[in-house]
Every structure is written in C-alpha cells, then in structure tokens.
Amino acid sequence: PVVRYMEYEYASKEFAGMKTQFMLGEMLRSGKKIGKDLKKAFEWYALASQQGHIPSKHCLAGMVYDGEGCKRDAKRGKELFEEVAKGGYAPSQMVLGAIYVGEGVEPWMAVKWFELAAEQNEQYVPYIANYLSGFMPEKAFEWRLRAAQTGDPNSQYLVGKMYERGNGVDMDAEKARYWYQLAAEKDHIKAVDALRNMDKYQKRA
C-alpha cells in the first residue's frame, strides 16, 4: 500500500536511520507515491549525508550542482562529487568524469575518473565511450573497442563504424566488416544494413 507522506516522515524521524531518510529523499525527488518536493528531498538527503550515507551525498551533490531544491552552486556540487568519488563510489566517479568532459579543460582527469568507475563496473564502459566520442576520439575508440570485446552488439557495430570512417582510428574496411559481422550475427539491424551497404559499394567499385 502507498504510505502517506506524514506517516512516512514521522516514521523516518522517530524510528528509521539514514537508509530510510535516503528513500524518502528519493521519493520526494522523483514524485513517486508522495508527490514531488525538491526542497524537502534536499533536506532528507542532507540529513542522511551528515550521518555518512554515501548515496545520499551523491544525490545531494547532484542537487547542488544542478540547483534542485536549493541555490545552484556548480563549484560546490563538483567538490561534493569529488569527495564521494575519492571514497570509491563509482556513480560519483562517472559523474565527475562527465563534468570534466563538459568543462573541456582537463581531459585526462575525465579519463582518470572513468577508469576508476569502470574498474568497479564494466557496464559503464559503453557510456564512457559515448562521453569521450566527441571529446577525445582516439580514447573513445579504445573504450568502444573494450566494450565490443565483451560481446555487446551495439558497441561492435560502433567499432565497425569507426573503422569504416576512420574516426579515432586508421580507416580499415576489413576490420570494419569484421565488427559489423559480429554485430549482425546478433541481429543488430544497423550492422546488417552497414554490411549490405559495403557490399553494394564494392560491387559498384
């Protein structure tokens, strides 16, 4: 059953710890079950964060950085993300890497934080490649290839595309075909189309 807001708030204050406070912050931030209230969400995240709850501090950093439920302070938000990231929290490491990409000032700092996040969770690898694609093409190719080697069909297709176009790597039609073929075998439609187009081009040539 849906818990009414006042009952849940009372229970959180009187009986529950920081995990429940975090859950209440999540509910108030998203608006699920009890209605959206960013200011109160901020307050609950802050309360749990003060007790050392890492996910709450991560969310608090995001709200400060974006100005949700509080005055926006990008510098302070970044500092909070860095504090949590240094503690080894992978989501904050990913966000911090993305912030450095957006700033475009210290590219290797972005790579540093992305690498730390990926060490904990390989599922981040395709997203890291996306972040770096328009920022550091050669580095993006390395990450894309890493994701493709895990068997991810979309990454295999994108590696093929990078080889075909010479984006971040030397152009190589044979390697492009190889990666397209791997993705096509997993019914990746765009890879199938790419192979078909390569065949048409070769016939015309």
PDB file of all heavy atoms in Angstrom, residues 57-79:
ATOM      1  N   LYS A  57      24.837  11.454  -0.221  1.00  0.00           N
ATOM      2  CA  LYS A  57      25.781  12.536  -0.506  1.00  0.00           C
ATOM      3  C   LYS A  57      25.958  12.707  -2.021  1.00  0.00           C
ATOM      4  O   LYS A  57      26.098  13.827  -2.512  1.00  0.00           O
ATOM      5  CB  LYS A  57      27.128  12.244   0.141  1.00  0.00           C
ATOM      6  CG  LYS A  57      28.064  13.445   0.134  1.00  0.00           C
ATOM      7  CD  LYS A  57      29.265  13.221   1.035  1.00  0.00           C
ATOM      8  CE  LYS A  57      30.133  14.473   1.114  1.00  0.00           C
ATOM      9  NZ  LYS A  57      31.288  14.287   2.013  1.00  0.00           N
ATOM     10  N   HIS A  58      25.912  11.592  -2.741  1.00  0.00           N
ATOM     11  CA  HIS A  58      25.979  11.640  -4.204  1.00  0.00           C
ATOM     12  C   HIS A  58      24.774  12.407  -4.765  1.00  0.00           C
ATOM     13  O   HIS A  58      24.933  13.277  -5.638  1.00  0.00           O
ATOM     14  CB  HIS A  58      25.999  10.214  -4.757  1.00  0.00           C
ATOM     15  CG  HIS A  58      25.819  10.129  -6.230  1.00  0.00           C
ATOM     16  ND1 HIS A  58      26.843  10.360  -7.134  1.00  0.00           N
ATOM     17  CD2 HIS A  58      24.721   9.824  -6.975  1.00  0.00           C
ATOM     18  CE1 HIS A  58      26.381  10.221  -8.365  1.00  0.00           C
ATOM     19  NE2 HIS A  58      25.107   9.885  -8.300  1.00  0.00           N
ATOM     20  N   CYS A  59      23.592  12.086  -4.271  1.00  0.00           N
ATOM     21  CA  CYS A  59      22.382  12.771  -4.733  1.00  0.00           C
ATOM     22  C   CYS A  59      22.390  14.240  -4.329  1.00  0.00           C
ATOM     23  O   CYS A  59      21.965  15.106  -5.099  1.00  0.00           O
ATOM     24  CB  CYS A  59      21.139  12.081  -4.175  1.00  0.00           C
ATOM     25  SG  CYS A  59      20.864  10.428  -4.832  1.00  0.00           S
ATOM     26  N   LEU A  60      22.860  14.511  -3.128  1.00  0.00           N
ATOM     27  CA  LEU A  60      22.960  15.884  -2.653  1.00  0.00           C
ATOM     28  C   LEU A  60      23.886  16.699  -3.563  1.00  0.00           C
ATOM     29  O   LEU A  60      23.585  17.840  -3.919  1.00  0.00           O
ATOM     30  CB  LEU A  60      23.493  15.886  -1.221  1.00  0.00           C
ATOM     31  CG  LEU A  60      23.419  17.203  -0.461  1.00  0.00           C
ATOM     32  CD1 LEU A  60      21.977  17.561  -0.141  1.00  0.00           C
ATOM     33  CD2 LEU A  60      24.235  17.111   0.836  1.00  0.00           C
ATOM     34  N   ALA A  61      24.992  16.092  -3.958  1.00  0.00           N
ATOM     35  CA  ALA A  61      25.939  16.753  -4.866  1.00  0.00           C
ATOM     36  C   ALA A  61      25.256  17.118  -6.174  1.00  0.00           C
ATOM     37  O   ALA A  61      25.453  18.218  -6.707  1.00  0.00           O
ATOM     38  CB  ALA A  61      27.136  15.842  -5.121  1.00  0.00           C
ATOM     39  N   GLY A  62      24.441  16.191  -6.681  1.00  0.00           N
ATOM     40  CA  GLY A  62      23.732  16.448  -7.929  1.00  0.00           C
ATOM     41  C   GLY A  62      22.738  17.577  -7.814  1.00  0.00           C
ATOM     42  O   GLY A  62      22.600  18.401  -8.732  1.00  0.00           O
ATOM     43  N   MET A  63      22.062  17.635  -6.691  1.00  0.00           N
ATOM     44  CA  MET A  63      21.071  18.702  -6.490  1.00  0.00           C
ATOM     45  C   MET A  63      21.760  20.061  -6.357  1.00  0.00           C
ATOM     46  O   MET A  63      21.276  21.068  -6.883  1.00  0.00           O
ATOM     47  CB  MET A  63      20.209  18.399  -5.265  1.00  0.00           C
ATOM     48  CG  MET A  63      19.357  17.150  -5.423  1.00  0.00           C
ATOM     49  SD  MET A  63      18.141  16.921  -4.090  1.00  0.00           S
ATOM     50  CE  MET A  63      16.839  18.036  -4.643  1.00  0.00           C
ATOM     51  N   VAL A  64      22.887  20.085  -5.668  1.00  0.00           N
ATOM     52  CA  VAL A  64      23.642  21.339  -5.534  1.00  0.00           C
ATOM     53  C   VAL A  64      24.193  21.760  -6.888  1.00  0.00           C
ATOM     54  O   VAL A  64      24.119  22.933  -7.269  1.00  0.00           O
ATOM     55  CB  VAL A  64      24.793  21.168  -4.514  1.00  0.00           C
ATOM     56  CG1 VAL A  64      25.704  22.395  -4.516  1.00  0.00           C
ATOM     57  CG2 VAL A  64      24.229  20.940  -3.113  1.00  0.00           C
ATOM     58  N   TYR A  65      24.722  20.795  -7.642  1.00  0.00           N
ATOM     59  CA  TYR A  65      25.310  21.102  -8.943  1.00  0.00           C
ATOM     60  C   TYR A  65      24.265  21.641  -9.917  1.00  0.00           C
ATOM     61  O   TYR A  65      24.535  22.566 -10.688  1.00  0.00           O
ATOM     62  CB  TYR A  65      25.961  19.842  -9.521  1.00  0.00           C
ATOM     63  CG  TYR A  65      26.783  20.097 -10.765  1.00  0.00           C
ATOM     64  CD1 TYR A  65      28.117  20.499 -10.674  1.00  0.00           C
ATOM     65  CD2 TYR A  65      26.234  19.954 -12.031  1.00  0.00           C
ATOM     66  CE1 TYR A  65      28.874  20.749 -11.808  1.00  0.00           C
ATOM     67  CE2 TYR A  65      26.981  20.204 -13.174  1.00  0.00           C
ATOM     68  CZ  TYR A  65      28.304  20.599 -13.058  1.00  0.00           C
ATOM     69  OH  TYR A  65      29.042  20.855 -14.187  1.00  0.00           O
ATOM     70  N   ASP A  66      23.056  21.066  -9.877  1.00  0.00           N
ATOM     71  CA  ASP A  66      22.000  21.468 -10.811  1.00  0.00           C
ATOM     72  C   ASP A  66      21.062  22.532 -10.260  1.00  0.00           C
ATOM     73  O   ASP A  66      20.236  23.076 -11.004  1.00  0.00           O
ATOM     74  CB  ASP A  66      21.175  20.241 -11.223  1.00  0.00           C
ATOM     75  CG  ASP A  66      21.978  19.265 -12.066  1.00  0.00           C
ATOM     76  OD1 ASP A  66      22.873  19.709 -12.813  1.00  0.00           O
ATOM     77  OD2 ASP A  66      21.706  18.050 -11.974  1.00  0.00           O
ATOM     78  N   GLY A  67      21.134  22.782  -8.955  1.00  0.00           N
ATOM     79  CA  GLY A  67      20.223  23.760  -8.357  1.00  0.00           C
ATOM     80  C   GLY A  67      18.831  23.212  -8.145  1.00  0.00           C
ATOM     81  O   GLY A  67      17.832  23.914  -8.327  1.00  0.00           O
ATOM     82  N   GLU A  68      18.729  21.954  -7.709  1.00  0.00           N
ATOM     83  CA  GLU A  68      17.434  21.340  -7.410  1.00  0.00           C
ATOM     84  C   GLU A  68      17.139  21.490  -5.914  1.00  0.00           C
ATOM     85  O   GLU A  68      17.875  20.969  -5.085  1.00  0.00           O
ATOM     86  CB  GLU A  68      17.444  19.857  -7.765  1.00  0.00           C
ATOM     87  CG  GLU A  68      17.502  19.543  -9.224  1.00  0.00           C
ATOM     88  CD  GLU A  68      17.423  18.038  -9.439  1.00  0.00           C
ATOM     89  OE1 GLU A  68      16.305  17.504  -9.531  1.00  0.00           O
ATOM     90  OE2 GLU A  68      18.489  17.392  -9.499  1.00  0.00           O
ATOM     91  N   GLY A  69      16.083  22.185  -5.586  1.00  0.00           N
ATOM     92  CA  GLY A  69      15.705  22.323  -4.186  1.00  0.00           C
ATOM     93  C   GLY A  69      16.631  23.225  -3.392  1.00  0.00           C
ATOM     94  O   GLY A  69      16.538  23.292  -2.164  1.00  0.00           O
ATOM     95  N   CYS A  70      17.541  23.902  -4.084  1.00  0.00           N
ATOM     96  CA  CYS A  70      18.497  24.783  -3.420  1.00  0.00           C
ATOM     97  C   CYS A  70      19.081  25.733  -4.470  1.00  0.00           C
ATOM     98  O   CYS A  70      18.825  25.573  -5.667  1.00  0.00           O
ATOM     99  CB  CYS A  70      19.626  23.974  -2.764  1.00  0.00           C
ATOM    100  SG  CYS A  70      20.619  23.048  -3.967  1.00  0.00           S
ATOM    101  N   LYS A  71      19.861  26.699  -4.010  1.00  0.00           N
ATOM    102  CA  LYS A  71      20.519  27.599  -4.944  1.00  0.00           C
ATOM    103  C   LYS A  71      21.635  26.848  -5.672  1.00  0.00           C
ATOM    104  O   LYS A  71      22.410  26.114  -5.054  1.00  0.00           O
ATOM    105  CB  LYS A  71      21.108  28.795  -4.187  1.00  0.00           C
ATOM    106  CG  LYS A  71      21.748  29.828  -5.095  1.00  0.00           C
ATOM    107  CD  LYS A  71      22.271  31.009  -4.282  1.00  0.00           C
ATOM    108  CE  LYS A  71      22.932  32.037  -5.200  1.00  0.00           C
ATOM    109  NZ  LYS A  71      23.455  33.204  -4.442  1.00  0.00           N
ATOM    110  N   ARG A  72      21.709  27.016  -6.964  1.00  0.00           N
ATOM    111  CA  ARG A  72      22.719  26.288  -7.750  1.00  0.00           C
ATOM    112  C   ARG A  72      24.127  26.773  -7.399  1.00  0.00           C
ATOM    113  O   ARG A  72      24.391  27.970  -7.339  1.00  0.00           O
ATOM    114  CB  ARG A  72      22.474  26.475  -9.252  1.00  0.00           C
ATOM    115  CG  ARG A  72      23.410  25.636 -10.112  1.00  0.00           C
ATOM    116  CD  ARG A  72      23.023  25.692 -11.591  1.00  0.00           C
ATOM    117  NE  ARG A  72      23.787  24.721 -12.353  1.00  0.00           N
ATOM    118  CZ  ARG A  72      24.950  24.986 -12.973  1.00  0.00           C
ATOM    119  NH1 ARG A  72      25.448  26.212 -12.912  1.00  0.00           N
ATOM    120  NH2 ARG A  72      25.596  24.049 -13.644  1.00  0.00           N
ATOM    121  N   ASP A  73      25.008  25.788  -7.193  1.00  0.00           N
ATOM    122  CA  ASP A  73      26.405  26.080  -6.922  1.00  0.00           C
ATOM    123  C   ASP A  73      27.230  24.968  -7.573  1.00  0.00           C
ATOM    124  O   ASP A  73      27.534  23.951  -6.932  1.00  0.00           O
ATOM    125  CB  ASP A  73      26.663  26.147  -5.410  1.00  0.00           C
ATOM    126  CG  ASP A  73      28.065  26.644  -5.072  1.00  0.00           C
ATOM    127  OD1 ASP A  73      28.955  26.552  -5.939  1.00  0.00           O
ATOM    128  OD2 ASP A  73      28.272  27.104  -3.935  1.00  0.00           O
ATOM    129  N   ALA A  74      27.550  25.157  -8.848  1.00  0.00           N
ATOM    130  CA  ALA A  74      28.248  24.112  -9.602  1.00  0.00           C
ATOM    131  C   ALA A  74      29.605  23.777  -8.999  1.00  0.00           C
ATOM    132  O   ALA A  74      30.010  22.608  -8.970  1.00  0.00           O
ATOM    133  CB  ALA A  74      28.405  24.542 -11.063  1.00  0.00           C
ATOM    134  N   LYS A  75      30.298  24.783  -8.517  1.00  0.00           N
ATOM    135  CA  LYS A  75      31.623  24.546  -7.925  1.00  0.00           C
ATOM    136  C   LYS A  75      31.505  23.655  -6.693  1.00  0.00           C
ATOM    137  O   LYS A  75      32.263  22.685  -6.545  1.00  0.00           O
ATOM    138  CB  LYS A  75      32.274  25.887  -7.551  1.00  0.00           C
ATOM    139  CG  LYS A  75      33.665  25.731  -6.962  1.00  0.00           C
ATOM    140  CD  LYS A  75      34.263  27.085  -6.590  1.00  0.00           C
ATOM    141  CE  LYS A  75      35.643  26.908  -5.943  1.00  0.00           C
ATOM    142  NZ  LYS A  75      36.228  28.212  -5.551  1.00  0.00           N
ATOM    143  N   ARG A  76      30.564  23.975  -5.813  1.00  0.00           N
ATOM    144  CA  ARG A  76      30.377  23.178  -4.598  1.00  0.00           C
ATOM    145  C   ARG A  76      29.866  21.783  -4.944  1.00  0.00           C
ATOM    146  O   ARG A  76      30.285  20.795  -4.333  1.00  0.00           O
ATOM    147  CB  ARG A  76      29.402  23.884  -3.652  1.00  0.00           C
ATOM    148  CG  ARG A  76      29.126  23.125  -2.351  1.00  0.00           C
ATOM    149  CD  ARG A  76      30.392  22.808  -1.603  1.00  0.00           C
ATOM    150  NE  ARG A  76      30.122  22.023  -0.381  1.00  0.00           N
ATOM    151  CZ  ARG A  76      31.029  21.239   0.187  1.00  0.00           C
ATOM    152  NH1 ARG A  76      32.246  21.115  -0.316  1.00  0.00           N
ATOM    153  NH2 ARG A  76      30.715  20.570   1.288  1.00  0.00           N
ATOM    154  N   GLY A  77      28.977  21.691  -5.925  1.00  0.00           N
ATOM    155  CA  GLY A  77      28.476  20.384  -6.343  1.00  0.00           C
ATOM    156  C   GLY A  77      29.600  19.495  -6.833  1.00  0.00           C
ATOM    157  O   GLY A  77      29.668  18.306  -6.488  1.00  0.00           O
ATOM    158  N   LYS A  78      30.485  20.074  -7.620  1.00  0.00           N
ATOM    159  CA  LYS A  78      31.639  19.314  -8.117  1.00  0.00           C
ATOM    160  C   LYS A  78      32.526  18.863  -6.965  1.00  0.00           C
ATOM    161  O   LYS A  78      33.022  17.724  -6.954  1.00  0.00           O
ATOM    162  CB  LYS A  78      32.432  20.172  -9.107  1.00  0.00           C
ATOM    163  CG  LYS A  78      33.638  19.470  -9.707  1.00  0.00           C
ATOM    164  CD  LYS A  78      34.401  20.386 -10.646  1.00  0.00           C
ATOM    165  CE  LYS A  78      35.661  19.727 -11.172  1.00  0.00           C
ATOM    166  NZ  LYS A  78      36.440  20.627 -12.042  1.00  0.00           N
ATOM    167  N   GLU A  79      32.732  19.746  -5.992  1.00  0.00           N
ATOM    168  CA  GLU A  79      33.545  19.386  -4.827  1.00  0.00           C
ATOM    169  C   GLU A  79      32.939  18.213  -4.070  1.00  0.00           C
ATOM    170  O   GLU A  79      33.652  17.310  -3.613  1.00  0.00           O
ATOM    171  CB  GLU A  79      33.682  20.590  -3.902  1.00  0.00           C
ATOM    172  CG  GLU A  79      34.562  21.700  -4.462  1.00  0.00           C
ATOM    173  CD  GLU A  79      34.531  22.960  -3.609  1.00  0.00           C
ATOM    174  OE1 GLU A  79      33.692  23.017  -2.675  1.00  0.00           O
ATOM    175  OE2 GLU A  79      35.321  23.882  -3.876  1.00  0.00           O
TER     176      GLU A  79
END
